[in-house]
Amino acid sequence: MSYTFQFGVLAQYQDQILSGICLTIKISVLSIVLGCAAGIVLSSIRSIWGGTVRFLVDAYVEIIRNTPFLVQLFIVYFGLPGLGLRVGADTAALIGMTINLAAYSTEIIRAGIEAVHKSQIEAGEALGFTRFQIYRHVIIVPAIAKVYPALCSQFVLMMLASSICSAISTQELAASAAFIESQTYRSFEIYIAVTLIYLVLALALRAVLAVVGMWLFGRRVARRTMTALPEVQA
Amino acid sequence: MTIWKFMRTMVAAVGMAAAGFALAVEAQAASLNDIISRGTVRIGVLTGAPPMGMVDEQGNPTGYDVDVANLIAGYLSLPVELVPLTPPARIPALQTGKVDFLVATLAPTGERAKTVMFTQPYSAFNMDIISGPDQKFAKLADLEGKRVAVNRGSSQETALRKAAVPGLEIVVYEDDSTSAQALIAGQVDAVALPSTVGEAIIKQRPDAGLQVGFTFFQQGNSMATRMEDFEIRQWLNTAIYLMKISGDLDKIATKWTGRPMPALPTF
């Protein structure tokens, strides 16, 4: 007996799917903006100050990069109330994703900063740039331009990993899919549809990031962004 | 130029993914002889819902379902391969042929019966509303405007949605223990749990001050087979009948829930 696909049942749940897509986009975009900003700040801080500050930033980066995202989410959602800080599922998801992405962004941008050759900074000094001008024009912007494709891959991974937030009852796309599945038991149809939606979302996000890259850093960087495919997350 | 190339790749990727899924998935109709000639029986059991299904200190599946599954395998005289499943994974695992049948504390519902076939009930428990130390609920109407945790796709979720208490917000988690955790962490006002699970959690976490409010229905649980596997279902019904008259089922019920199996109507 061969399986009969019934995609028709999905039609009556389009509101759930749409609201799931909206929340996925919302928490992804917000966490990308906040996480990236935090990454720029933290990687700058650790390159300017050494000693304890650098140690603390590195410790944060390594702790987040070497623990599962699901556990980080559980700590924010189930752990923080123990300290008297109660946040809702959507906020917890956003906090968890931002904390996670900030660590990865810091690490990626750090690589870019370290790739700026010393002679470039010396050239900046020779031209009479102030320290802030050197930081801005010689260090941070070229550094981000160098690592922009890697950064974009991480953003796409984070968007896909937002599906994990369904475990703490955030009603994003994967949670919508699970809800529809629990109502209809049409698992194949729903997960096929959701796979395609995530694929389109990821490709659209990549296209948007390429346009942003072109606007910020010019054509060459943008081209690399579009051709680089996301790495597979373990 | 590059944008076009990118667009082309994008369309190709989506197309390829769609084509991959369009290939029909074959579901094999299994008979009892197929299982016997394979030499092992694969049974899906519930996990994450003590005492019905959980893992022991060594990480092996244990609980009410596991004891019943082992007994069933004994009737078949076959070695058993237990597949621990979370509540939302039970029916998909059965449908995709990962398991031969389920002994996974699955309650028969009209909706589920459109997808899988149920046997006679082999276990039963009360479904309770449990709250934290600050408030106690005595009836469904008390839940007005409250947040109640349930596990996804469970019979308590269905029952609560059907009760349609005004202002009641149903918050969905992946399993019973996460739902209970949400109550302990104060993310919800109450949790709907089988009394067996609720009692186990109250015993494990006396510090949380959890209290049983009221029972909102009694649930019988059935084994489940795929729609086309009539032969396996009939054999399971026979085995359940034998387990009942031999008293083995009562022994398992007493071991895990503290009382013999309640008498439930059969179908």
Side-chain angles (χ1 to χ4, degrees), chain A residues 1-3 5 77-78 81 86-87 166-169 175 178-179 181-183 185 187-188 192 195-196 199 203 207 223 226, chain B residues 2 6 10 13-14 17 21 25-27 91-92 95-96 111-112 115 152-153 157 161 171-173 178 181-182 185-187:
Chain A
M1 186 187 125
S2 70
Y3 190 89
F5 283 97
Y77 186 68
F78 291 127
R86 187 158 303 148
V87 289
S166 61
I168 57 164
S169 79
F179 170 76
E181 196 219 341
S182 72
Q183 298 292 306
Y185 303 104
S187 324
F188 280 137
I192 288 167
T195 305
L196 293 177
L199 184 56
L203 293 169
R223 202 156 48 223
M226 283 191 290
Chain B
T2 326
F6 174 67
M10 201 163 127
V14 174
F21 286 126
V25 182
E26 292 286 327
I91 290 179
Q95 283 179 312
T96 52
E111 200 55 46
R112 284 173 176 166
T115 322
R152 193 189 310 286
E157 182 188 358
R161 286 195 196 282
V171 191
V172 182
Y173 297 92
T178 316
Q181 186 55 49
Q187 294 283 7

Side-chain angles (χ1 to χ4, degrees), chain B residues 7-218:
Chain B
M7 292 275 282
R8 228 165 45 210
T9 320
M10 201 163 127
V11 171
V14 174
M16 257 155 60
F21 286 126
L23 297 170
V25 182
E26 292 286 327
Q28 301 279 330
S31 72
L32 209 55
N33 275 329
D34 293 337
I35 298 175
I36 293 167
S37 60
R38 192 205 306 135
T40 60
V41 54
R42 282 194 287 259
I43 305 180
V45 292
L46 185 62
T47 193
M52 307 313 282
M54 62 255 182
V55 289
D56 64 13
E57 287 81 359
Q58 281 82 45
N60 300 314
T62 181
Y64 193 118
D65 284 346
V66 172
D67 281 1
V68 175
N70 282 327
L71 200 56
I72 290 272
Y75 279 107
L76 272 174
S77 313
L78 283 178
V80 60
E81 193 182 316
L82 295 172
V83 182
L85 299 167
T86 56
R90 289 175 294 185
I91 290 179
L94 179 63
Q95 283 179 312
T96 52
K98 277 193 186 331
V99 296
D100 296 319
F101 51 86
L102 296 174
V103 183
T105 312
L106 194 67
T109 64
E111 200 55 46
R112 284 173 176 166
K114 291 181 198 162
T115 322
V116 298
M117 217 166 18
F118 287 102
T119 65
Q120 305 301 335
Y122 72 94
S123 74
F125 45 68
N126 296 329
M127 200 61 76
D128 288 345
I129 294 287
I130 296 169
S131 63
D134 311 328
Q135 49 189 353
K136 194 169 180 174
F137 305 109
K139 53 186 186 301
L140 274 174
D142 291 353
L143 296 175
E144 195 176 324
K146 301 293 180 188
R147 286 162 57 84
V148 178
V150 294
N151 86 47
R152 193 189 310 286
S154 61
S155 54
Q156 59 265 42
E157 182 188 358
T158 314
L160 269 186
R161 286 195 196 282
K162 202 169 278 174
V165 179
L168 166 66
E169 191 187 341
I170 296 167
V171 191
V172 182
Y173 297 92
E174 292 301 317
D175 53 31
D176 284 336
S177 36
T178 316
S179 307
Q181 186 55 49
L183 174 64
I184 294 171
Q187 294 283 7
V188 293
D189 297 303
V191 56
L193 288 175
S195 57
T196 46
V197 179
E199 279 159 20
I201 290 170
I202 290 172
K203 205 158 34 171
Q204 294 274 326
R205 288 293 304 266
D207 54 310
L210 304 184
Q211 45 186 348
V212 179
F214 62 98
T215 296
F216 69 111
F217 72 96
Q218 189 181 52

Side-chain angles (χ1 to χ4, degrees), chain A residues 168-179:
Chain A
I168 57 164
S169 79
T170 308
Q171 292 300 306
E172 43 65 72
L173 183 54
S176 304
F179 170 76

Side-chain angles (χ1 to χ4, degrees), chain A residues 153-182:
Chain A
S153 279
Q154 197 60 47
F155 295 163
V156 172
L157 282 179
M158 192 75 253
M159 192 276 285
L160 298 176
S162 71
S163 59
I164 297 173
C165 300
S166 61
I168 57 164
S169 79
T170 308
Q171 292 300 306
E172 43 65 72
L173 183 54
S176 304
F179 170 76
I180 300 166
E181 196 219 341
S182 72

Side-chain angles (χ1 to χ4, degrees), chain A residues 61-194:
Chain A
V61 169
E62 290 313 316
I63 288 171
I64 297 298
R65 292 205 318 145
N66 293 294
T67 50
F69 179 51
L70 181 63
V71 175
Q72 295 163 10
L73 273 181
F74 277 163
I75 289 175
V76 172
Y77 186 68
F78 291 127
L80 289 190
L83 304 174
L85 200 70
R86 187 158 303 148
V87 289
D90 294 2
T91 320
L94 181 59
I95 294 173
M97 287 169 71
T98 304
I99 289 175
N100 187 278
L101 193 55
Y104 280 94
S105 306
T106 305
E107 178 65 7
I108 293 170
I109 298 169
R110 176 195 65 80
I113 290 176
E114 284 177 4
V116 174
H117 201 270
K118 213 175 155 210
S119 62
Q120 300 251 314
I121 300 167
E122 287 165 358
E125 282 166 350
L127 287 169
F129 277 21
T130 62
R131 284 191 66 179
F132 177 73
Q133 281 174 322
I134 290 177
Y135 170 73
R136 194 190 145 191
H137 297 287
V138 182
I139 300 177
I140 197 75
V141 174
I144 296 174
K146 270 196 199 86
V147 296
Y148 189 68
L151 215 45
C152 290
S153 279
Q154 197 60 47
F155 295 163
V156 172
L157 282 179
M158 192 75 253
M159 192 276 285
L160 298 176
S162 71
S163 59
I164 297 173
C165 300
S166 61
I168 57 164
S169 79
T170 308
Q171 292 300 306
E172 43 65 72
L173 183 54
S176 304
F179 170 76
I180 300 166
E181 196 219 341
S182 72
Q183 298 292 306
T184 62
Y185 303 104
R186 289 265 150 211
S187 324
F188 280 137
E189 288 85 342
I190 289 141
Y191 287 117
I192 288 167
V194 165

